[in-house]
Amino acid sequence: MAFAPRGPEASFFQVLDQHRASLLAALRKGGGEPAGGGTHLATRFEDSVGLHMVSHCTTRKIKSDSAKSVKTFALILKILSMIYKLVQSNTYATKRDIYYTDSQLFGNQTVVDNIINDISCMLKVPRRSLHILSTSKGLIAGNLRYIEEDGTQVTCACATAVAVPSNIQGIRNAKFLLIVEKDATFQRLLDDNFCTKMSPCIMVTGKGVPDLNTRLLVKKLWDTFHIPIFTLVDADPHGIEIMCIYKYGSMAMSFEAHNLTVPAIRWLGLLPSDIKRLNIPKGTLIPLTKQDQMKLDSILKRPYITCQPFWRKEMEIMADSKMKAEIQALTFLSSDYLSRVYLPNKLKFGGWI
């Protein structure tokens, strides 16, 4: 007789449940982070939202009678007409679809992307309201069931991943969500049956810098269930940057921050302090490049770091050591150390910041 795989005993999730209770208490009080704030260019930081545009930000004008902007104005009108037809017919298209309607006219995909962002910002509506979707590059696995717009029921599995959907109508609950920076690490965790061993849980990867659909999914899971959400990224400035995009947003999409950011996200690993604590040999570490140091300095100056003293401490450890580490450095301890020891211990004993 075959038996369904079981996750940990209920007591394993005790600290996770306590963390979720504290998150819910913070929500009831109307905030998601300790007090803090600041301003930067055309965006403002609020601890409960992340980076979002200020109402009096500088705007640029595109004139129909100006030789410099006539082409841009014409392209905006063309894409607006396409959006109008999509909304009227209640159909959807991807940004790639729009580009290929006249690739010679648009020149490249970036032109289309920027215009769509400008229209969304100008009309003050999410991109989805324009009936324009992004092609998903992210993957998701675990205890998740959802219904797509056409009524198709999709049940994710703990052992295999499916593409992140562009829209979700129904979701099943889980104890926590783990955001994995890189696809290689995500696939390794699947191979090690991490989701099965830690069930019920959900695991997602944006394969590096997350696309819009992956960020929307993470936001949807948070808004629906308010389950703890953790990030697993490399101990380097690039990994921290990706984590900040999920948690606080980006300058480019600050006009849609309310639909994309989840300030309740916590940093689970790989922490720079873990490198010394676990005695990871220097031979597996990588020196910070000049670009890494510039990125790290830039992040340390951002307004939201003022309300993340533990994050600052970890980044200062990295800056002092002038070294970075990939998650794969844990394989020095054992090939399955990440899934068998590191993550379970972090989740059981609250090893996040």
Side-chain angles (χ1 to χ4, degrees), residues 179-196:
I179 299 171
V180 183
E181 175 190 351
K182 296 189 295 189
D183 184 39
T185 305
F186 181 87
Q187 297 296 338
R188 181 54 195 264
L189 290 173
L190 286 181
D191 292 341
D192 289 347
N193 292 318
F194 176 77
C195 277
T196 301

Side-chain angles (χ1 to χ4, degrees), residues 257-290:
H258 287 79
N259 299 316
L260 296 173
T261 59
V262 184
I265 286 174
R266 296 294 182 262
W267 186 1
L268 188 66
L270 180 66
L271 301 180
S273 60
D274 290 335
I275 296 171
K276 182 177 180 180
R277 181 176 62 85
L278 298 174
N279 293 316
I280 297 175
K282 288 188 176 180
T284 63
L285 306 182
I286 306 169
L288 290 176
T289 65
K290 185 176 180 179

Side-chain angles (χ1 to χ4, degrees), residues 11-16 343-352:
S11 59
F12 177 91
F13 295 112
Q14 182 177 354
V15 175
L16 272 175
L343 289 176
N345 283 345
K346 285 262 185 173
L347 292 167
K348 184 174 183 179
F349 299 109
W352 54 77

Side-chain angles (χ1 to χ4, degrees), residues 48-262:
S48 61
V49 178
L51 294 173
H52 65 104
M53 289 184 66
V54 296
S55 57
H56 55 279
C57 63
T58 302
T59 59
R60 63 187 178 94
K61 294 181 179 180
I62 298 174
K63 300 179 180 180
S64 61
D65 57 352
S66 169
K68 290 184 178 180
S69 59
V70 64
K71 183 178 179 180
T72 302
F73 183 77
L75 292 178
I76 290 174
L77 288 181
K78 180 174 178 61
I79 292 179
L80 277 171
S81 69
M82 296 173 72
I83 289 171
Y84 178 77
K85 292 176 182 176
L86 289 171
V87 174
Q88 284 289 91
S89 60
N90 196 30
T91 56
Y92 291 81
T94 66
K95 293 186 296 182
R96 202 71 177 158
D97 293 333
I98 291 176
Y99 168 68
Y100 278 116
T101 59
D102 199 332
S103 58
Q104 288 188 334
L105 175 66
F106 292 120
N108 60 70
Q109 183 69 55
T110 303
V111 171
V112 174
D113 296 350
N114 290 339
I115 289 176
I116 291 171
N117 284 343
D118 286 345
I119 291 173
S120 180
C121 183
M122 177 178 65
L123 300 179
K124 296 182 173 60
V125 296
R127 189 192 301 168
R128 179 162 193 81
S129 298
L130 306 177
H131 283 231
I132 296 176
L133 308 174
S134 298
T135 302
S136 294
K137 69 168 184 171
L139 297 173
I140 189 165
N143 297 81
L144 177 68
R145 181 187 297 139
Y146 61 87
I147 303 171
E148 293 183 333
E149 281 185 314
D150 61 2
T152 303
Q153 293 188 7
V154 179
T155 300
C156 297
C158 291
T160 57
V162 299
V164 167
S166 59
N167 190 39
I168 286 181
Q169 300 295 334
I171 305 176
R172 188 171 62 181
N173 207 349
K175 281 288 185 180
F176 67 93
L177 168 65
L178 178 66
I179 299 171
V180 183
E181 175 190 351
K182 296 189 295 189
D183 184 39
T185 305
F186 181 87
Q187 297 296 338
R188 181 54 195 264
L189 290 173
L190 286 181
D191 292 341
D192 289 347
N193 292 318
F194 176 77
C195 277
T196 301
K197 295 171 183 175
M198 294 291 105
S199 180
C201 70
I202 299 170
M203 197 166 66
V204 66
T205 179
K207 297 184 180 180
V209 177
D211 61 337
L212 185 65
N213 286 347
T214 304
R215 294 177 63 188
L216 284 169
L217 174 69
V218 171
K219 175 68 171 175
K220 178 84 170 183
L221 288 168
W222 168 250
D223 287 344
T224 304
F225 294 116
H226 296 120
I227 56 175
I229 302 177
F230 306 105
T231 55
L232 176 64
V233 299
D234 288 337
D236 65 13
H238 184 68
I240 295 171
E241 176 76 276
I242 288 172
M243 179 170 56
C244 289
I245 291 174
Y246 282 107
K247 186 177 176 72
Y248 293 121
S250 62
M251 295 282 286
M253 296 295 291
S254 59
F255 63 89
E256 206 174 332
H258 287 79
N259 299 316
L260 296 173
T261 59
V262 184

